[in-house]
Amino acid sequence: RFLRVGDSLAVGAAKREPKARSARPWAAAVPTPPGPARTLPAWAGRTLTGRAPAAGARAWQSPRLRRFAERTSAAPPTARSDRAPSWEAMLFPRMDALLAQLMPALLRGSLRLRAASGPLDCPLQAVLERGHAIAARTALALTAQGGEFAAALARPDERGRLALHVALEHEPRLAPQVLCQTVAAFPDALTHASSDPGGGMPLHVALEFQQHDEALVLEVLRLTVAHGPAALATPNRDGALPVVVAMACQGPSAAARVLRATEDICPEALERHTAHPVLHSALRHQRGEAVSEALRVFAEHHARAFSHQDERGEAPLHVALRHQTAEWALLDVIKLTAQHGP
C-alpha cells in the first residue's frame, strides 16, 4: 500500500516545475503580459501519502515517512519552514530507479499508470517531461531494440505530442537519441503536429525551445528537409511558419539557414501575405547575417513583400526604422522600398 505506481510518479513535482513556454514573439502584434504558468500534469498532484505537495511539514507526521527519512538519513523540513517540502527531492531519485525497473511492463502496456484524470498511456512522454533521466534512458534502450517497444515513439499523448516533441522541449540531453530513433523507425513523425496551444511539428518545437543548441536545431532542420520538407511550409497553431519562429527565437546563423532551406524547397511559402510576414519578422528580431540574407532573398524573388503590411498596418520600412540600428540595413530597406514598394 505504501508504494503505489499511480501516485508515486509525481514525487519531485513541487521541486521540479515544468518548463514554461516562451512568450512566442510572433504570436501577438502588441506585447502582452505573459500568461499563467503551465499547470502541473494530472499525475503530479499527489504524493506517496496521498496528500498534495503543499501539505508541507505536516506530511512528516506520517510514521512511515518518518521511518523512511531515518533510513535514508534525510532531515525532514521544520514546521516553521516557508520553503516547499524537501522530501519530494529526496524521493525523486528512488522513484526514477523504480520507474526504470517498471519501464518494460509500462511500454508493453501490461502495467498502466493511473492518475486522477484517468490512465496514462504514454509513459515515455511522462518520464521525459518530468526529468526522470534513468527511466528515460532505460525506455530509449528498449525502444532501440524495435518491435513492440518501438511503437512508443509514434504514440501521441493526450495533447497530441510524440516523445520527440517532449524531448525537444524538456530534455535536450536525450533529444538527439530520441530524434535518431524516431526518424529511423517513423520518418513521418517529423510532420506530426501536436495539439498544444502554439504547438506544431518537431521543427517548430526545436526552433522555439533550443535557442542555445544550434547543432541540434540544424540536425532537426536537415532531417526535416530529407524526410518531411512539407513541414517548412506548414504553420503552427499560432499561424507562424518555421522560418518566422526561427527569426524570432534563433540566432542569425540558424535563422539564415532556415530561410535558405525554405527558399530552396517551398518558395511559395515566403510569398504568402499572412499576419506574420517573414520579412517583417526578420527586420523586427534579427541582426547581421539573417537581415542581409532576408533582404537578398526578398529583393531577388519576392519583391512584392516590401509593400505588404502586417496586422499592425506597418510596412517593412516602418519595422526597420523602429528596430534596426545598422545604417547599411536601413539604407538597403529604404532603397528596396523605393524600387518595389507602393
Side-chain angles (χ1 to χ4, degrees), residues 5 9 98-114 120-124 126-127 135 139 142 149 152 155:
V5 176
L9 181 63
L98 173 64
L99 288 171
Q101 296 177 6
L102 299 177
M103 193 53 65
L106 292 173
L107 292 180
R108 288 195 192 97
S110 57
L111 178 64
R112 302 180 71 184
L113 301 178
R114 185 171 184 82
L120 295 173
D121 298 325
C122 301
L124 181 54
V127 296
L142 293 171
F149 293 128
R155 185 182 304 130

Side-chain angles (χ1 to χ4, degrees), residues 11 47-49 52-53 56 59-60 65 77 85-92:
V11 293
T47 64
L48 287 176
T49 60
W60 285 92
L65 277 181
S86 60
W87 49 273
E88 284 94 347
M90 176 195 67
L91 294 177
F92 191 84

